[in-house]
Amino acid sequence: MNAPHPAAQLRQQLYRDMEPLHLTPLWEVLHALVPRQPASPCVPALWRYEEVRPFLMRAGDAITAEEAVRRVLILENPALRGQSAVTQSLYAGLQLILPGEVAPSHRHTQSALRFIVEGAGAYTAVDGERTTMHPGDFIITPSWTWHDHGHEGNDPVVWLDGLDIPMVRFLDAGFAENDTRRSQVVTRAEGTSLARWGHNMAPVRHEKPFGATSPIFSYPYERSRQALEQLERDAAVDEWDGVKLRYVNPQTGGSPMPTMATFMQKLPAGFAGKPWRQTDGALYSVVEGSGEVTIESAAGAWRFAFGPRDHFVVPSWHTARLSSQPGCVLFSFSDRPVHQALGLHHEERLS
Amino acid sequence: MNAPHPAAQLRQQLYRDMEPLHLTPLWEVLHALVPRQPASPCVPALWRYEEVRPFLMRAGDAITAEEAVRRVLILENPALRGQSAVTQSLYAGLQLILPGEVAPSHRHTQSALRFIVEGAGAYTAVDGERTTMHPGDFIITPSWTWHDHGHEGNDPVVWLDGLDIPMVRFLDAGFAENDTRRSQVVTRAEGTSLARWGHNMAPVRHEKPFGATSPIFSYPYERSRQALEQLERDAAVDEWDGVKLRYVNPQTGGSPMPTMATFMQKLPAGFAGKPWRQTDGALYSVVEGSGEVTIESAAGAWRFAFGPRDHFVVPSWHTARLSSQPGCVLFSFSDRPVHQALGLHHEERLS
Amino acid sequence: MNAPHPAAQLRQQLYRDMEPLHLTPLWEVLHALVPRQPASPCVPALWRYEEVRPFLMRAGDAITAEEAVRRVLILENPALRGQSAVTQSLYAGLQLILPGEVAPSHRHTQSALRFIVEGAGAYTAVDGERTTMHPGDFIITPSWTWHDHGHEGNDPVVWLDGLDIPMVRFLDAGFAENDTRRSQVVTRAEGTSLARWGHNMAPVRHEKPFGATSPIFSYPYERSRQALEQLERDAAVDEWDGVKLRYVNPQTGGSPMPTMATFMQKLPAGFAGKPWRQTDGALYSVVEGSGEVTIESAAGAWRFAFGPRDHFVVPSWHTARLSSQPGCVLFSFSDRPVHQALGLHHEERLS
Amino acid sequence: MNAPHPAAQLRQQLYRDMEPLHLTPLWEVLHALVPRQPASPCVPALWRYEEVRPFLMRAGDAITAEEAVRRVLILENPALRGQSAVTQSLYAGLQLILPGEVAPSHRHTQSALRFIVEGAGAYTAVDGERTTMHPGDFIITPSWTWHDHGHEGNDPVVWLDGLDIPMVRFLDAGFAENDTRRSQVVTRAEGTSLARWGHNMAPVRHEKPFGATSPIFSYPYERSRQALEQLERDAAVDEWDGVKLRYVNPQTGGSPMPTMATFMQKLPAGFAGKPWRQTDGALYSVVEGSGEVTIESAAGAWRFAFGPRDHFVVPSWHTARLSSQPGCVLFSFSDRPVHQALGLHHEERLS
């Protein structure tokens, strides 16, 4: 057995000696710190709604919305168990509210999106205005706004929650407060925000009720679908995305929230998309129809068949491809605005 | 008769001597150059549609759209005759197109808006996409885009043209070009632009087809009116403006064109508004209903009763007040974005 | 002699009949309103300092600074006599202040620049801070800031005033106010603004003391010249501009004032520049050295030899070319930010 | 002993059953995910230069710059050992380069700052331009620019490296590439970038050589110190910060890099500052003088005396207070621009 190399000995001694000072040598970890390309710790995953729904209903038996504050099953990335994260920066969960329940009012600096998956008759209230939920609607709870949810209809309502919880935790910037009231007082008629900002018009004076977040907090599915259908009929279908639009903050043209972008796309019948990869990992919610996604990285390959209300995650810099025989509609969200604001967004469209 | 004052003599001699060098003394004109407050050379004026329309029809007999290129009667500010200007910076006119006519394709750096006043079945085409005109629609021809108009319906169509012609002339920045084709080729289905950008969504990739101008070039009246009606029902009516919204470029949240802002407002039945004044002079087009506007300045006072399709101008820093017994809808436009971009916009709401 | 054409008759009758309603036919003036390219009414002109200076000194005898408020000889464009304008949108003048004089405090919405031409020891005070003037310094009086000038030195001081007076007049947006004090109270040490914002650093909290105008209100010649010299030594000299920099608002990277851009350029010895044209007309002030400018348009050709302290104007869309045997330094200003903000700036570099 | 509560049993069974589906109940972790206020896992720490320097010199013996690529001792937050992070989002290290050495050329999407701590004669080259290092200089390596370091002087040179490595890792957005050349070719004279953009002037045409990062990549200490000294003499000293300026990207007025803000402040002799806290954690480098910092959180209290070249970290939402008997100069950096871009920056100034 050889004696250890003197330089190596010198270094090991150095490392030991300086350890108490919280010093560590860069050169031993440089390659991991500055990788050649992103190697996300996240993995692709699919949550089939027919498998998840029974657990949601059991959660409905196990705890009330009021006791839970928010009765949500978190979709955890299989490689990030225990972190309440579906990608490194994003949180996703499915929330159940039953007829007659209230999820009490609170506020926090984390931004939240709701995408309605099943049922009708529930509502969200944001800073004094309620909006009624319908499947396919995209609803925002802007950072630091009071919000509560309730349900005055007859059947269970389930929606997807998307939050920037891991991002805010990483930045050590989370604040929260509970309301003294169970439900907030309604001060504006339903639809006022959409009437003010949602018709390509705006109040004459430049109010920004929610700061950098969209003043529209409900984007009805009816409108989004109508736009996609008209474009499918008339315009060229993109070979990677089908017909895909991003939701917009009408005060800026940018993303609805500073931390999260949201998208809706329609794959025409028989669509077989080309592969792409990008630095922002995304969670998808299947609105209508069915299809297939294939995802590849150095670590492996995944193929998921999906149907209505299923959810799947495509991590950063994984190569993905979408196809759909009958055609389908997909909602998705990611942290792209953060990548773009920091000059870190990168995308490749492959052929 | 007194001898002239020696200092005055000295000065007069100086003025005469330096005149050939194109030098002139500031102190003789300082007060006019730097006034205490705006004293616009423009005056208020009203054009009653029932008086104007016969002349439009006579113009229809006197010249074809093709020969005229654009068959327009310019609304000239009575104090700016010969300048083709309704305020110092803006041009307004009423354009007539008859069934079967075409106003041939051209482009120019001047931005144009069309506000449809009477008739249906005409269209404007902008860079390959047509939009059909209905009364109350607000349509844009962005700077330097090819555009032509045509009419495939049965009755005369009249619209208001608003352009920044005097502004572009003042800046010496006008370019224009005639198309080699009479009408441009249609390359996109009608409604494509609205589907892409008009539903609080946008294409995923950041195209700006018209630069700083809105990519939506048609804002249907149906939508605008719907927003105003909902707000009238539900929200507080402003004591100066009634219910007033500005049209928005969905890519920025700013004005639809860099040089012109456009507005639509609804005065509820019995509205008796408070007076205001602002630095941007505005032209109003009455869409529905009737009412009264009173306008005052140091130079005088005006009171105009107005009805459907009438037009009136409120010059800069004139105090104006609107009222309406039956309620009414008004469209208006001004050069406010220029004032705002240059830090020169100023407004007072009086009581 | 032929009978008049019936259509022509019809039209003339129409024009006469509708004239009282302030209606005028677009088709008779369309070509003038929408020209093929800019045809500025301005003409090129040169003011030789040796010719102008004696008149400035005579003005010093004819009126005091206090009586004149501002003792300025306006450089009027020969084609715009009586309009106090050197281009359609800009005002230029040479201001004289004599030892011991004060030009009293006032404020106005018009923005002003001062470029020091001759003499030392005078100062400008802006909102409580004085700055001492040296030849070649570029100084700003932001819109609506109190300002006064004084002179505690020994020799006459002359500077170039550049203002957006015609622009503000055109927009009907001018307000002004006289101070109750002759000179304002000094509240900050000289150089405080430059120390706060002039070293590529800024106060931690985002103050904008002058809104959209640069918080630095004095740009010393020493620094500007040093930058130009280093670039002349080391970097490629531009074939059109020599070494040319624009002054910057350090809070935005944009122009120092919303309405005016300012530039300083150095032509190396033996520079023979290529021709260019652009939509913004510019006034030049010769700082050091001498040279020649040739200017052409459809209306004619001009050739001016210039030396220190001379001034000349290059109107919009006139083709200009600079050359200099011994080398020279030029300051200039134009309304380019307005053209850019409105999407109307256009430039051609010819060869 | 009681039987387990039936609801609790129901829940535990639910948790176990849904675990294989990567579902987890929000209500068990909600309080941790949405904390009342930030509870950073980081702790305050001080690195005394007299203790760290010997290890740097031993590293100089143990490995060459070329072998190490970058010979850096990472300052690890004591609570984040093994993560190469000084706060959750930022990396800090001290880099040593010895006379004659070269740290070879590479590039990465991570942004880097250098703050020179000791020695002279080394240089950094960025995209073809070298800048020589002097103590107190702040130097940038913009994202994705080629850069190498070298040393042509006589004594060891040490600088602080600040990078957004943890942030880019969290976003899964890191790319890197080694150069085929050891040192890059110099294509511009030293100082060209500073001459172009560093004097409150800029090239006429709007180049952005480094995208959202400052085109100045070296901010000399001489200038920064001069600004601080003038402000200390003349302006009010802030009760929390002394005299503090932030470094600025002259193209935007914002932070020099999208992910990191940098600051320099001078505490006058006898300064005893008031306490503050903010969401962005910061690393400080002591440039001159000495002083004391006290830091408090719910978890404890720390008091560090510091002298020249010492480094200390103030984590998010820890209450900190600075004092200095002799006066001192401090450089610091944090991830504040990220907090601000995402609407998450929060600050409290206590008394």
Side-chain angles (χ1 to χ4, degrees), chain C residues 11 50-51 54 58 66 74 88 101 107 123 133 164 272 299-300 303 312 324 332:
Chain C
R11 290 175 195 171
E50 65 181 23
E51 291 177 351
R58 282 176 59 184
E66 189 136 14
I74 305 173
Q88 287 213 99
E101 286 192 327
R107 65 177 177 174
Y123 66 82
M133 294 168 155
D164 53 11
R303 176 184 299 257
F312 59 89
S324 176
S332 56

Side-chain angles (χ1 to χ4, degrees), chain D residues 19-83:
Chain D
E19 205 277 341
L21 262 64
H22 315 299
L23 296 172
T24 197
L26 172 62
W27 55 89
E28 298 285 349
V29 292
L30 180 60
H31 282 87
L33 290 188
V34 184
R36 306 303 290 256
Q37 59 176 41
S40 177
C42 303
V43 293
L46 174 79
W47 290 265
R48 300 183 60 78
Y49 196 66
E50 64 181 24
E51 291 176 352
V52 173
R53 194 179 190 282
F55 292 115
L56 278 167
M57 296 307 136
R58 282 176 58 184
D61 294 333
I63 194 166
T64 65
E66 190 136 13
E67 191 186 352
V69 183
R70 298 294 184 263
R71 189 204 284 118
V72 179
L73 298 188
I74 305 173
L75 309 181
E76 283 198 327
N77 193 290
L80 302 175
R81 295 307 306 266
Q83 297 185 35

Side-chain angles (χ1 to χ4, degrees), chain A residues 17 21 24 40 58 74 172 316, chain D residues 17 24 40 58 74 172 316:
Chain A
D17 291 350
L21 262 64
T24 196
S40 176
R58 281 176 60 184
I74 305 173
D172 285 328
S316 168
Chain D
D17 290 350
T24 197
S40 177
R58 282 176 58 184
I74 305 173
D172 285 327
S316 168

